[in-house]
Amino acid sequence: MTLNVPGLVVMAGFYLLILGTGIWASFRSKKQEKKCTGDGMEITLLAGRNINLLVGIFTLTATWVGGGFILGIAEATYNPTLGAVWALMPVPYVLTFFLGGFFFARPMRENKYVTMMDPFQQKYGNVMSSLLILPALVADVLWVARTLVSLGGTMSVILDLPYVYSIIISSVVAMVYTLLGGLYSVAYTDVIQLILIFISLWVCVPFLMTNPHSLDISLTAYNQTFQAPWVGTVELDQAGKWFDDFMLLALGGLAYQAFYQRILSASSYTQAQVTCFASSGFCLVLGIPSILVGAVAASTDWNSTAYGLPTPYERDQAGSVLPIALQYLTPPYISIIGIGAVAAAVMSSMDSALLSSASLFSSNIYKNILRKQASDREMQWVIRISVVVVGLAGTGLTFLDSSVLVFWLVGVDMSYTIMFPQLVCVLFFKVSNAYGAIVGFMMGIILRFMSGEPLIGLPPAIEFPGCRLDAEGKLTQYFPFRTAIMMFSLLSILLFSWLASIIINKMPEKWDVFKINRKQKPTAVALEDEAKRTNSANEEVSAAKQLLDNTTSC
């Protein structure tokens, strides 16, 4: 293959469009900053809590429909050991958005938090919240990596552009416009990107479905042809793993800062709810083209194409099956349109991850711990430096692994098993405190590492019921172990928080490391004062009634 010059021209035009939109949004951000009464950091991170409803829907959808979403669904559908029933992403995301809209948005908005970690910092203190920020930051870095991997693989297949160049160019463009305008730039570029994703993917589908090298996908859905049926199956002994993956994707997304950044940027709780519900529908629609691409790839006689044999799966290129299908099963101009969809999806997710991690570090670590007196100007520079550091870290990780699903699942895994139970407890259970949180945190990490992970070659030290070799010869847990770890972590937080509150109350105050007594006492005093005021008011009412009765009788 030679360098695809027309494709490069189209991609250059796409990047210029996105960069131009980001620059325009940055000017809009500066105008808004002059009108808004909030500080500069809040405008940069939350768009002044006044983002447009339609823009909010687009940016939330685009954040979830990233390169990992598009390529991961196609990869799972095509993979003969998985199939479409394992391409779970669109359906669990509906549950993510509905739960977020109904339950998690209200406490976050009512308390006017800036980041997801604010309730931890207020309730547990700086030490414990700093510890909990680490897995959230790591998850964001992995998010950046998986989005770049998806684009690098696509560009190298279709444009014959070296993998390294593809990743570096995309990373730089995303960092530049994120640095310029914060959430305003991210949100408005997401609008352009989501429109491009929708149009590009659906334009490619008819050409793929009618290509001469593939059988009708309705014939290969349940019949063995060139490989196993693309619909796939969930056997009874696999049901636990399927349920575990479903819950991982559905609840793990609720522990991402990027989700709450969109919720907190809405002008009202009602708008936040509408944003969540509308985005869930868009995710379903945008997941269909990737399933069809994977189905077509599974129905293709690759020996009759220029790609030849072995198949993409046998060459360990299942993660790049979408760009491979576009390159060898559609006309050249259609494959270029397809890469535009992937590029748009990658940029829309990467900028969200960059700003998400920058929010956590700048607000919860730098502003609240290191430099409480930091000015708005200083915080703007901290945010910019954080964006660059996270971008560089995520870019570096892309050279370690080329599978989109690896970065996808490992990142969401950390959010689900470690962060989600912590978030539930701090928002909805008053009994939770820092002592229980640290026990739950350690339990979650230890149990998760001891359970193993075949995607990164980590063998299990704990074998749950049903643990056995999978179709690829890897020792795999088929029990819903991640859900079990999440529940065990949650119960540990509540149990040890309750025990700690009892024990600490009977010990000298100097032994209370996390000062939970100091946080509980004002509440108790306030309740006692309120009770006294109520009793005093009742006594005054009784006295007045008695005086009135005496006057009447006289």
Side-chain angles (χ1 to χ4, degrees):
M1 285 180 64
T2 58
L3 194 63
N4 190 334
V5 177
L8 282 177
V9 172
V10 172
M11 289 307 300
F14 163 75
Y15 280 135
L16 288 174
L17 173 63
I18 295 302
L19 192 57
T21 305
I23 293 172
W24 170 81
S26 69
F27 286 112
R28 182 182 173 86
S29 173
K30 290 177 182 177
K31 290 181 180 179
Q32 186 68 18
E33 189 171 349
K34 294 177 181 178
K35 299 177 183 178
C36 190
T37 55
D39 59 27
M41 187 175 73
E42 189 171 287
I43 293 173
T44 300
L45 301 182
L46 300 178
R49 299 186 192 270
N50 193 33
I51 202 161
N52 178 274
L53 173 60
L54 187 61
V55 174
I57 293 171
F58 272 70
T59 187
L60 181 58
T61 305
T63 298
W64 257 245
V65 181
F69 180 93
I70 292 175
L71 269 71
I73 291 174
E75 177 183 352
T77 303
Y78 165 71
N79 192 319
T81 64
L82 298 174
V85 293
W86 292 89
L88 296 169
M89 287 75 136
V91 179
Y93 286 172
V94 174
L95 183 59
T96 299
F97 291 137
F98 271 82
L99 289 176
F102 277 122
F103 300 105
F104 289 82
R106 184 179 291 278
M108 283 289 185
R109 288 196 55 81
E110 286 180 347
N111 291 283
K112 295 184 178 180
Y113 295 133
V114 175
T115 74
M116 177 185 77
M117 299 306 299
D118 284 354
F120 293 98
Q121 205 150 31
Q122 291 181 14
K123 190 170 185 179
Y124 298 162
N126 291 334
V127 176
M128 189 61 209
S129 62
S130 299
L131 184 64
L132 291 172
I133 284 175
L134 292 177
L137 289 174
V138 171
D140 279 338
V141 172
L142 291 174
W143 192 352
V144 172
R146 72 172 178 252
T147 54
L148 287 175
V149 163
S150 60
L151 183 59
T154 304
M155 281 190 168
S156 61
V157 169
I158 295 179
L159 303 182
D160 199 30
L161 187 67
Y163 182 82
V164 176
Y165 295 162
S166 305
I167 286 177
I168 291 176
I169 292 171
S170 304
S171 178
V172 169
V173 171
M175 283 192 284
V176 167
Y177 71 75
T178 305
L179 287 171
L180 289 174
L183 187 58
Y184 269 111
S185 290
V186 170
Y188 281 97
T189 53
D190 281 348
V191 173
I192 303 295
Q193 289 156 353
L194 194 65
I195 292 172
L196 288 173
I197 293 169
F198 183 83
I199 294 174
S200 301
L201 285 177
W202 282 106
V203 165
C204 295
V205 166
F207 291 90
L208 282 166
M209 300 283 286
T210 57
N211 86 86
H213 305 289
S214 304
L215 297 177
D216 188 333
I217 62 172
S218 63
L219 300 176
T220 59
Y222 298 100
N223 300 305
Q224 178 84 26
T225 51
F226 302 112
Q227 65 174 56
W230 61 265
V231 169
T233 57
V234 180
E235 303 295 339
L236 185 60
D237 58 357
Q238 298 176 316
K241 187 176 187 302
W242 186 93
F243 173 78
D244 206 29
D245 288 348
F246 185 94
M247 297 303 292
L248 168 76
L249 294 170
L251 302 182
L254 289 169
Y256 270 105
Q257 161 63 12
F259 175 75
Y260 297 102
Q261 201 153 26
R262 273 76 191 156
I263 296 301
L264 294 170
S265 67
S267 59
S268 66
Y269 171 61
T270 302
Q271 181 179 323
Q273 281 192 312
V274 173
T275 300
C276 290
F277 302 153
S279 298
S280 65
F282 278 109
C283 283
L284 283 176
V285 173
L286 290 167
I288 296 173
S290 293
I291 293 176
L292 295 176
V293 172
V296 169
S299 309
T300 298
D301 178 10
W302 290 102
N303 193 36
S304 67
T305 68
Y307 185 83
L309 293 177
T311 65
Y313 176 75
E314 291 167 340
R315 297 188 196 186
D316 198 25
Q317 293 182 334
S320 300
V321 73
L322 186 144
I324 290 172
L326 292 174
Q327 175 69 15
Y328 294 97
L329 303 179
T330 64
Y333 62 92
I334 294 299
S335 64
I336 293 172
I337 293 174
I339 194 177
V342 177
V346 166
M347 305 292 276
S348 66
S349 284
M350 181 179 173
D351 53 23
S352 300
L354 289 173
L355 194 60
S356 169
S357 51
S359 304
L360 294 175
F361 177 80
S362 59
S363 178
N364 295 105
I365 295 180
Y366 192 87
K367 177 71 173 177
N368 292 349
I369 300 176
L370 301 179
R371 286 269 297 171
K372 294 182 180 181
Q373 72 278 20
S375 64
D376 277 352
R377 182 178 177 81
E378 182 179 345
M379 290 309 304
Q380 294 297 323
W381 279 105
V382 172
I383 293 170
R384 293 183 184 120
I385 293 171
S386 302
V387 167
V388 173
V389 170
V390 173
L392 293 176
T395 303
L397 284 176
T398 58
F399 303 111
L400 299 180
D401 199 290
S402 61
S403 173
V404 177
L405 283 176
V406 169
F407 289 117
W408 182 300
L409 291 176
V410 172
V412 180
D413 197 321
M414 292 183 64
S415 297
Y416 180 50
T417 56
I418 298 172
M419 288 305 301
F420 177 72
Q422 297 283 352
L423 189 63
V424 170
C425 289
V426 77
L427 288 179
F428 303 109
F429 293 93
K430 293 182 179 180
V431 70
S432 66
N433 56 47
Y435 296 103
I438 196 168
V439 172
F441 179 78
M442 297 307 298
M443 288 285 188
I445 290 180
I446 293 171
L447 288 174
R448 185 62 194 91
F449 273 98
M450 293 183 70
S451 300
E453 181 51 67
L455 287 174
I456 59 175
L458 182 66
I462 301 175
E463 295 187 10
F464 289 87
C467 183
R468 62 184 184 277
L469 296 176
D470 62 9
E472 298 178 345
K474 298 177 181 178
L475 193 60
T476 305
Q477 307 275 14
Y478 282 85
F479 183 81
F481 71 102
R482 287 173 296 205
T483 301
I485 292 171
M486 183 274 291
M487 291 300 300
F488 190 78
S489 178
L490 190 147
L491 294 174
S492 297
I493 296 169
L494 297 178
L495 175 61
F496 284 94
S497 293
W498 175 70
L499 290 175
S501 63
I502 294 175
I503 295 172
I504 292 296
N505 282 332
K506 298 179 180 179
M507 298 171 65
E509 189 171 330
K510 63 180 180 181
W511 290 7
D512 183 8
V513 179
F514 291 111
K515 311 299 180 186
I516 64 171
N517 266 340
R518 189 178 298 175
K519 294 169 186 174
Q520 290 172 352
K521 282 180 179 179
T523 304
V525 170
L527 290 173
E528 186 178 349
D529 290 341
E530 181 64 27
K532 287 180 180 178
R533 285 195 296 269
T534 303
N535 292 334
S536 177
N538 290 336
E539 288 173 2
E540 289 176 5
V541 171
S542 299
K545 284 183 178 180
Q546 187 175 1
L547 180 61
L548 182 62
D549 291 340
N550 292 337
T551 304
T552 305
S553 61
C554 291

